[in-house]
Amino acid sequence: MKPVFPGEKVKVVAEKVYFRFKKLNCTVQMLNEQHEVVCKGTIAGMVTNKMNG
């Protein structure tokens, strides 16, 4: 939505949409120093007992 330049500070804000059955879904926004939205999206994940590898 807007560029972010080297040295510029940003703030990441996440809001939980749901967390059930070991599944997590969050909406995320990144704000610049003027509190303008730089980018936004959705992050999803799953809780496991151990990492693969």
Side-chain angles (χ1 to χ4, degrees):
M1 299 173 127
K2 292 186 180 269
V4 176
F5 300 103
E8 187 175 354
K9 292 184 181 182
V10 293
K11 180 179 180 181
V12 178
V13 180
E15 182 179 340
K16 179 181 68 174
V17 176
Y18 67 81
F19 180 60
R20 60 180 175 259
F21 307 117
K22 296 186 178 183
K23 294 180 183 176
L24 175 65
N25 192 311
C26 297
T27 57
V28 183
Q29 288 186 340
M30 184 182 290
L31 309 171
N32 62 13
E33 291 177 319
Q34 291 78 32
H35 302 287
E36 299 170 326
V37 177
V38 175
C39 64
K40 61 183 177 179
T42 302
I43 295 178
M46 189 172 211
V47 177
T48 62
N49 291 334
K50 63 179 183 177
M51 294 183 64
N52 296 334

